[in-house]
């Protein structure tokens, strides 16, 4: 078993495993409530509704992501729903954007009503070349063309790049429908320029979805909300509390500006699921952790991890054998010996890291992430000492 919660686990991303979340999981299993619709369990649905509004407010999300005052989502109001993963959320958005676009094209072009495949073949979505592989998988499952756009020197997708791509595709007879922006890429925690991209999406009529699976949790701290400048222009927003907010897996929070666009796509209720409250209350399926830790407790947790990452950055920056490859500290090393160092770290087994690369520049690097709730400054120093020791061995062989 790979111990994901060990203080020397610095691979992938944090995975929460806290006492309140474990206890809540046990209670949920014991109650055995199946909350697939409001009528199946009103309390389950109502708790999720309240919970998602709490969480949205804690992150400082725009009011349009909150449920309407009456609590319902049957109209065109916003709201949130818990998904299993960011991959699921991305697929939901792809399918919803696709269906809306096909309906629009069929209304404009009668011939498309007879042959929906003609409309489908024209649809195109966009994402940066740094986006997660789940975006590509979602496009494949939705049968929508995906165009991966180049990023700038900071690996950020910019508005002018998107605008050019949309103009080119419209000239080719395609129908641009969706942009998946990323706040905190998997490779290096880079951030797309959401403010610029949101403006283009609004002017061009594209659905703007924000994938903030990992970095989104940092929005609970007001001093880090600048990473989401332009969020008011987004149509949907998703992050994983299960990564960095003390909630056990699987838990991915998805908010929508207009929830009807998703509800209408998936609303196929047989008689036995219909009830007199349909359209008045949301139909779905994180409460203990927020009640136990409180906002200030979660803010302290996020700030501690960032402080530890900065400590590691200082250690690496002071050592001229290493190079920080990104402004945000989740990787180090950028040359051929890095591969040998990575192999040595894996074989040594005292700490656990993973590697990645920037394909455009053929840059191989080692990612370092602060993951465990129990990680302290001494663990960061220990990890650096292990890396330094193994680097000495690699360089001596060279």
């Amino acid at each position: 078993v790979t111990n994901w919660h060990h203080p020397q686990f610095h691979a992938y991303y944090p995975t929460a495993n806290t006492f309140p979340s474990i206890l809540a999981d046990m209670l949920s299993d014991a109650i055995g409530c199946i909350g697939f619709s409001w009528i199946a369990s009103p309390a389950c649905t109502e708790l999720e509704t309240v919970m998602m509004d709490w969480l949205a407010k804690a992150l400082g999300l725009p009011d349009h992501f909150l449920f309407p005052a009456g609590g319902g989502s049957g109209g065109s109001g916003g709201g949130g729903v818990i998904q299993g993963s960011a991959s699921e959320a991305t697929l939901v958005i792809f399918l919803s954007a696709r269906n809306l676009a096909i309906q629009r094209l069929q209304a404009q072009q009668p011939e498309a009503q007879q042959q929906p495949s003609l409309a489908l073949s024209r649809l195109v979505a966009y994402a940066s070349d740094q986006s997660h592989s789940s975006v590509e998988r979602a496009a494949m499952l939705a049968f929508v063309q995906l165009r991966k756009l180049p990023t700038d020197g900071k690996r950020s997708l910019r508005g002018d790049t998107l605008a050019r791509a949309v103009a080119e595709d419209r000239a080719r007879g395609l129908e641009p429908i969706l942009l998946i922006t990323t706040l905190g890429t998997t490779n290096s925690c880079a951030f797309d320029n959401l403010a610029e991209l949101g403006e283009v999406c609004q002017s061009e009529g594209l659905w703007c979805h924000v994938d903030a699976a990992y970095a989104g949790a940092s929005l609970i701290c007001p001093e880090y909300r600048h990473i989401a400048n332009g969020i008011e222009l987004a149509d949907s927003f998703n992050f994983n509390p299960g990564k960095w907010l003390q909630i056990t897996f699987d838990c991915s929070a998805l908010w929508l500006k207009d929830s009807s666009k998703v509800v209408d796509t998936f609303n196929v209720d047989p008689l036995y699921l219909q009830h007199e409250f349909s359209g008045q209350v949301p139909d779905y399926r994180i409460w203990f952790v927020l009640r136990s830790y409180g906002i200030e407790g979660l803010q302290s947790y996020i700030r501690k991890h960032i402080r530890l990452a900065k400590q590691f950055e200082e250690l690496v920056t002071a050592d001229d054998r290493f190079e920080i490859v990104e402004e945000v500290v989740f990787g180090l090393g950028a040359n051929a010996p890095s591969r040998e160092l990575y192999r040595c770290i894996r074989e040594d087994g005292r700490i656990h890291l993973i590697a990645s690369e920037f394909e455009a520049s053929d840059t191989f690097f080692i990612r370092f992430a602060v993951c465990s709730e129990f990680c302290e400054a001494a663990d960061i120093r220990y990890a650096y000492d292990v890396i330094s020791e193994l680097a000495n061995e690699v360089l001596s062989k060279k």
Side-chain angles (χ1 to χ4, degrees):
V1 173
T2 301
N3 189 348
W4 279 62
H5 307 285
H6 192 283
Q8 293 306 328
F9 183 93
H10 300 294
Y12 310 107
Y13 283 116
T15 54
N17 190 17
T18 59
F19 171 74
S21 193
I22 294 170
L23 190 62
D25 227 356
M26 292 169 63
L27 181 62
S28 297
D29 287 343
I31 293 174
C33 172
I34 311 302
F36 54 75
S37 76
W38 184 87
I39 200 66
S41 180
C44 177
T45 302
E46 297 292 344
L47 179 59
E48 182 170 7
T49 301
V50 172
M51 215 20 274
M52 292 301 286
D53 272 2
W54 277 6
L55 195 53
K57 292 174 182 178
L59 298 179
L61 297 183
D63 288 347
H64 64 235
F65 287 133
L66 302 178
F67 284 97
S73 63
S76 58
V81 60
I82 297 173
Q83 302 290 317
S85 67
S87 300
E88 289 180 29
T90 301
L91 179 58
V92 166
I93 296 303
F94 256 96
L95 294 173
S96 301
R98 179 197 70 179
N99 285 6
L100 284 169
I102 289 176
Q103 291 171 9
R104 183 175 66 251
L105 289 174
Q106 288 178 330
Q108 296 170 354
Q109 303 168 0
E111 65 274 14
Q113 295 182 7
Q114 305 300 322
Q115 293 181 290
S117 60
L118 291 178
L120 182 59
S121 66
R122 292 177 53 195
L123 306 185
V124 60
Y126 306 93
S128 89
D129 57 13
Q130 300 295 308
S131 61
H132 192 267
S133 59
S134 62
V135 177
E136 196 165 355
R137 288 196 298 268
M140 292 171 60
L141 291 170
F143 296 97
V144 173
Q145 300 176 60
L146 177 66
R147 185 169 172 183
K148 300 181 80 170
L149 304 177
T151 52
D152 66 11
K154 292 186 176 181
R155 293 169 182 77
S156 172
L157 181 60
R158 305 299 297 270
D160 56 350
T161 302
L162 174 64
R164 282 195 300 271
V166 170
E168 291 168 1
D169 288 336
R170 289 199 195 282
R172 295 166 52 204
L174 298 179
E175 186 72 19
I177 63 168
L178 169 67
L179 168 70
I180 306 292
T181 65
T182 306
L183 297 183
T185 59
T186 302
N187 251 358
S188 60
C189 206
F191 297 86
D192 289 341
N193 193 312
L194 179 56
E196 293 180 1
L197 296 168
E199 292 284 356
V200 175
C201 287
Q202 287 207 335
S203 64
E204 296 290 347
L206 273 66
W207 184 318
C208 180
H209 174 67
V210 179
D211 176 3
Y214 165 63
S218 68
L219 299 181
I220 203 168
C221 301
E223 66 267 31
Y224 299 117
R225 289 178 185 165
H226 64 275
I227 69 168
N229 286 343
I231 187 64
E232 69 279 0
L233 302 172
D235 296 290
S236 50
F237 175 87
N238 169 245
F239 92 106
N240 288 353
K243 278 194 171 130
W244 208 14
L245 214 60
Q246 304 290 56
I247 314 294
T248 50
F249 269 60
D250 292 340
C251 182
S252 190
L254 171 65
W255 285 273
L256 301 147
K257 182 177 181 179
D258 183 353
S259 60
S260 68
K261 293 180 178 179
V262 169
V263 172
D264 293 347
T265 297
F266 296 99
N267 187 20
V268 188
D269 279 352
L271 180 61
Y272 53 82
L273 290 183
Q274 296 173 12
H275 53 83
E276 64 269 31
F277 299 105
S278 291
Q280 300 176 37
V281 292
D283 284 342
Y284 320 119
R285 332 164 259 133
I286 308 174
W287 176 41
F288 272 43
V289 169
L290 276 187
R291 290 297 301 268
S292 299
Y293 284 87
I295 299 299
E296 291 183 0
L298 292 172
Q299 288 173 337
S300 177
Y301 171 71
I302 296 290
R303 288 166 180 152
K304 172 189 171 184
H305 270 206
I306 294 175
R307 188 169 62 251
L308 292 175
K310 289 296 183 182
Q311 177 191 345
F312 185 74
E313 177 189 27
E314 291 172 2
L315 291 169
V316 173
T317 302
D319 190 331
D320 59 9
R321 296 172 301 173
F322 303 117
E323 176 188 353
I324 298 291
V325 298
E326 278 293 82
E327 194 172 331
V328 180
V329 186
F330 289 115
L332 62 91
N335 49 32
S338 294
R339 296 182 184 273
E340 179 63 17
L341 175 58
Y342 178 57
R343 184 188 65 78
C344 290
I345 292 171
R346 294 294 294 270
E347 291 180 357
D348 179 80
R350 282 178 286 173
I351 62 176
H352 188 40
L353 305 174
I354 61 169
S356 190
E357 64 180 344
F358 298 129
E359 294 182 2
S361 58
D362 195 27
T363 301
F364 178 92
F365 62 96
I366 302 170
R367 287 171 80 259
F368 183 94
V370 181
C371 295
S372 173
E373 178 188 7
F374 308 108
C375 188
E376 301 291 346
D379 298 301
I380 299 298
R381 180 73 210 197
Y382 177 78
Y384 168 76
D385 288 343
V386 170
I387 294 170
S388 181
E389 173 192 328
L390 296 175
N392 285 338
E393 294 180 11
V394 171
L395 292 174
S396 66
K397 294 177 183 177
K398 295 292 178 182

